[in-house]
Amino acid sequence: MELEGNRKVLEDNPSPELEEQVQIGSMVYVQINEVVNAIQSQKTMDELTMENTLYQTAKQYKALGGTFYLSETEMDQVTRLNDELIRKRLPKEDLKLTIQPLLFTQLVLSYALTGFGFLALLLILLSSVTGEYEEKNVRLVYTLPFSRSRYMLIKLGSFLIAGVMWLTVVTVSAYILASQFTDALENQSAYPFAEVRGNWIQISDVIQNGLILGGMALILVLTFGWFIGYTFRSTLLSYLIAILVVAGGALLVINGEPFQWNPLSALQVQQTLLDQYSTQWRIYLLLLFSIVILVIGTLSINRKRGV
């Protein structure tokens, strides 16, 4: 629409600047069609090369006062990705629609390994602690021939086993499901992700590190649930605290709050991983420290507390 309007203006009021803008705009239009044709013909490498050429022309068009649907920063990011894909001889994938097994697995994990995914599992498990107090079953439990602390640690262990099973089922199911509908790319494990500093990370490394970080974040959330369950001993109150803390922490990260030694930032696993990839050791130390504090605090609070 803009191009056609400029052509009509040019007919009535000739201008060298406008004429150049129309000329470059026409090139953009032609190159867009070339990219579309390459996509439809499944000429992967041609598509990537043509798209890069299109963005170079689009930058010239914008410099002359034209409009384009991407900013220069976005075009630079896509061009870098295209160059990396060309170097690795990989086709471009829509990361939100792909069914390539590893990429689809990463997509599923990016939704599961979040504060809201962890919260759903926590709320299911939390009632196994608070229910014992509300139904008075804990009086019978504490007559068993082992200490209260040991029983509480067994309960925590059951939480963690359930968490590991949940994470395993989600990961394996996602990979198997995607594998049923497509043939895996020969080099799909090398598909690149850009971390915040612009360095490239392979999808296999993103998944591996994401599972490690996600596993530790899951342990933190379940240990926190174990803590509030044994501390407050009320299902409703424990649910409310869990929702406020876990969901609130996730929303802080989603809204762009920086890491700053906040253990709740790790609950948005993929975002935190890509933002802190080169310094992720800090997150592991913080999570480990937080988990230890929660365990010691829970055992100390309940050691001599009545039922």
Side-chain angles (χ1 to χ4, degrees):
M1 295 295 292
E2 179 186 54
L3 186 59
E4 291 300 321
N6 288 341
R7 282 174 176 162
K8 292 180 180 179
V9 171
L10 188 61
E11 291 175 359
D12 299 331
N13 300 290
S15 165
E17 292 82 5
L18 188 58
E19 183 178 357
E20 184 180 9
Q21 186 189 95
V22 169
Q23 182 181 2
I24 299 298
S26 299
M27 291 174 59
V28 169
Y29 180 78
V30 170
Q31 290 171 359
I32 288 175
N33 287 329
E34 289 176 346
V35 172
V36 171
N37 290 333
I39 294 173
Q40 292 175 342
S41 302
Q42 296 184 340
K43 297 178 179 178
T44 303
M45 295 300 110
D46 289 345
E47 170 199 341
L48 299 174
T49 302
M50 290 175 180
E51 189 176 16
N52 284 356
T53 303
L54 165 63
Y55 292 149
Q56 293 301 317
T57 308
K59 288 180 184 179
Q60 298 178 38
Y61 183 58
K62 293 188 73 171
L64 294 170
T67 58
F68 193 70
Y69 68 96
L70 292 179
S71 67
E72 288 200 21
T73 300
E74 291 171 326
M75 286 189 280
D76 288 339
Q77 291 172 344
V78 176
T79 299
R80 285 188 67 245
L81 174 61
N82 289 347
D83 288 340
E84 186 69 10
L85 291 172
I86 291 171
R87 189 179 71 82
K88 293 179 179 292
R89 307 296 297 176
L90 285 167
K92 180 182 286 187
E93 295 282 342
D94 186 331
L95 298 180
K96 293 185 177 180
L97 297 174
T98 181
I99 55 172
Q100 279 296 317
L102 282 180
L103 296 175
F104 182 74
T105 301
Q106 170 57 27
L107 176 64
V108 171
L109 290 176
S110 71
Y111 288 111
L113 299 181
T114 63
F116 300 104
F118 294 143
L119 182 61
L121 178 63
L122 175 59
L123 295 180
I124 293 172
L125 297 176
L126 190 54
S127 61
S128 67
V129 172
T130 56
E132 290 181 342
Y133 287 95
E134 292 178 337
E135 296 171 10
K136 307 302 181 182
N137 293 334
V138 74
R139 296 180 181 274
L140 177 61
V141 170
Y142 285 160
T143 63
L144 298 175
F146 45 75
S147 67
R148 180 180 301 187
S149 295
R150 183 180 175 187
Y151 174 75
M152 291 170 63
L153 290 173
I154 291 173
K155 180 69 73 173
L156 176 60
S158 68
F159 273 31
L160 300 184
I161 291 172
V164 169
M165 291 176 61
W166 171 78
L167 185 55
T168 301
V169 168
V170 168
T171 305
V172 174
S173 298
Y175 188 87
I176 292 176
L177 180 63
S179 299
Q180 303 304 308
F181 294 98
T182 186
D183 295 326
L185 293 172
E186 183 177 347
N187 196 27
Q188 66 164 329
S189 63
Y191 198 92
F193 271 67
E195 54 124 334
V196 71
R197 292 173 178 79
N199 299 319
W200 294 112
I201 315 170
Q202 295 187 154
I203 181 65
S204 56
D205 293 331
V206 174
I207 292 177
Q208 179 181 333
N209 287 281
L211 286 173
I212 295 172
L213 180 58
M216 291 198 66
L218 179 59
I219 293 173
L220 173 67
V221 170
L222 295 180
T223 306
F224 174 70
W226 177 73
F227 164 76
I228 59 176
Y230 276 110
T231 300
F232 297 101
R233 302 180 177 183
S234 164
T235 301
L236 183 60
L237 181 58
S238 296
Y239 276 11
L240 179 61
I241 294 172
I243 292 171
L244 289 175
V245 174
V246 177
L251 288 174
L252 284 177
V253 181
I254 292 172
N255 291 328
E257 287 296 317
F259 172 64
Q260 292 185 345
W261 297 98
N262 174 14
L264 295 177
S265 66
L267 302 186
Q268 296 299 114
V269 172
Q270 178 168 299
Q271 182 176 342
T272 302
L273 183 64
L274 295 179
D275 289 347
Q276 304 288 331
Y277 191 80
S278 60
T279 56
Q280 55 185 295
W281 60 269
R282 298 189 308 169
I283 307 174
Y284 296 136
L285 287 178
L286 179 61
L287 291 177
L288 182 60
F289 176 76
S290 302
I291 291 167
V292 170
I293 291 299
L294 285 171
V295 171
I296 294 175
T298 306
L299 295 178
S300 299
I301 291 172
N302 289 275
R303 179 169 289 114
K304 296 183 179 180
R305 190 178 177 188
V307 296

